[in-house]
Amino acid sequence: MADIRVQAGPFDLGREMDRFEAAVSGAGAVVSFTGLVRDEGGRLEAMEIEHYPGMTERAVAAIAAEAERRWRLAGCLVVHRHGRLGPGERIMMVATAAPHRADAFAAAEFLMDYLKSRAPFWKKEHGASGKAWVAARDADEDALRRW
Amino acid sequence: MIDVLYFAWVRERIGVPKERVETEAPTVAALVEELRAREERYAMAFADLAAIRVAVDQELAGFDAPLAGAREVAFFPPMTGG
């Protein structure tokens, strides 16, 4: 039921949402989240996103399946980019559809919390002062405990 | 023979994204010990195992996971998706 895409190229948010809404049936609520590359006050030149082809799709599908098991959903969509992205570019999006909004909101948050630390993506920041891998935050791990 | 994959800074420290390794190691931990004994770059990459995550055949696993029948093992830092 989940639509999952891992891609290098950009995506059109409006078109994704139109298509998602048209594809789900029985939905009364649609929630979406979009993640952007922060410009870090102008210090960031690019964000490089590495992933583990094969495992990424499996891990995201497993996370989406778990969301569909926990909440009454009419569908969910995950689009996540990899490669080199500039400040302000969209990194990823999730959308969830449900008969009622509480399920759609909760499932979207769940998907985001798990995509952050259980999907095999790694971010590297390129700035004027050099390059550095983004470290995982304890808060991201803590966020999983609430589920 | 097993395919060993490295990602992010683990890949950079070891210098290759993937290699085939001839091993009889029964567990991930035993494989890590074999790799560490090979060359300094492996010892450096695997200096702090608390900073490394493991996947066996594309599923997250622990260092104690058995390797019998496994085709692919990956080592990488904690993930930063989203």
Side-chain angles (χ1 to χ4, degrees):
Chain A
M1 187 159 72
D3 182 3
I4 291 153
R5 260 174 293 140
V6 180
Q7 62 188 50
F11 56 90
D12 181 322
L13 188 60
R15 202 160 60 193
E16 293 295 346
M17 293 306 293
D18 285 346
R19 203 161 61 179
F20 180 65
E21 286 179 8
V24 294
S25 60
V30 170
V31 164
S32 75
F33 170 88
T34 310
L36 308 177
V37 178
R38 274 184 290 267
D39 73 353
E40 305 293 357
R43 293 189 305 276
L44 188 103
E45 288 168 4
M47 176 80 86
E48 181 189 332
I49 300 175
E50 183 170 331
H51 79 117
Y52 182 171
M55 179 175 169
T56 308
E57 291 80 359
R58 285 171 64 147
V60 176
I63 293 166
E66 179 62 19
E68 288 171 339
R69 198 183 62 76
R70 291 187 185 213
W71 293 280
R72 199 174 152 214
L73 298 179
C76 60
L77 166 69
V78 178
V79 182
H80 203 303
R81 295 179 64 195
H82 58 87
R84 192 182 170 96
L85 279 64
E89 279 194 62
R90 293 189 190 110
I91 302 173
M92 55 90 64
M93 67 169 294
V94 303
T96 53
H100 300 284
R101 73 177 187 278
D103 286 333
F105 273 120
E109 280 216 272
F110 172 89
L111 286 172
M112 283 313 305
D113 282 350
Y114 271 83
L115 288 170
K116 267 236 136 11
S117 47
R118 291 292 183 276
F121 290 99
W122 300 275
K123 295 194 184 106
K124 190 179 196 178
E125 292 178 342
H126 294 244
S129 51
K131 303 173 196 174
W133 289 99
V134 174
R137 296 157 61 234
D138 289 342
D140 293 337
E141 200 57 37
D142 292 345
L144 301 186
R145 289 200 201 110
R146 64 181 165 140
W147 305 107
Chain B
M1 287 290 260
I2 197 161
D3 285 326
V4 184
L5 285 75
Y6 311 105
F7 293 95
W9 59 254
V10 180
R11 169 179 56 73
E12 291 177 340
R13 283 185 199 179
I14 288 171
V16 293
K18 183 177 180 174
E19 59 187 335
R20 298 212 86 187
V21 175
E22 187 82 58
T23 181
E24 298 292 322
T27 62
V28 173
L31 172 64
V32 168
E33 284 318 305
E34 286 182 11
L35 293 171
R36 268 176 170 162
R38 276 183 164 190
E39 281 176 58
E40 180 58 25
R41 59 194 170 107
Y42 292 96
M44 219 176 73
F46 291 112
D48 178 14
L49 294 188
I52 294 184
R53 300 291 177 268
V54 180
V56 176
D57 287 335
Q58 305 191 352
E59 297 281 352
L60 285 173
F63 283 93
D64 57 350
L67 287 183
R71 293 184 315 184
E72 189 172 298
V73 178
F75 296 100
F76 43 79
M79 295 157 272
T80 51

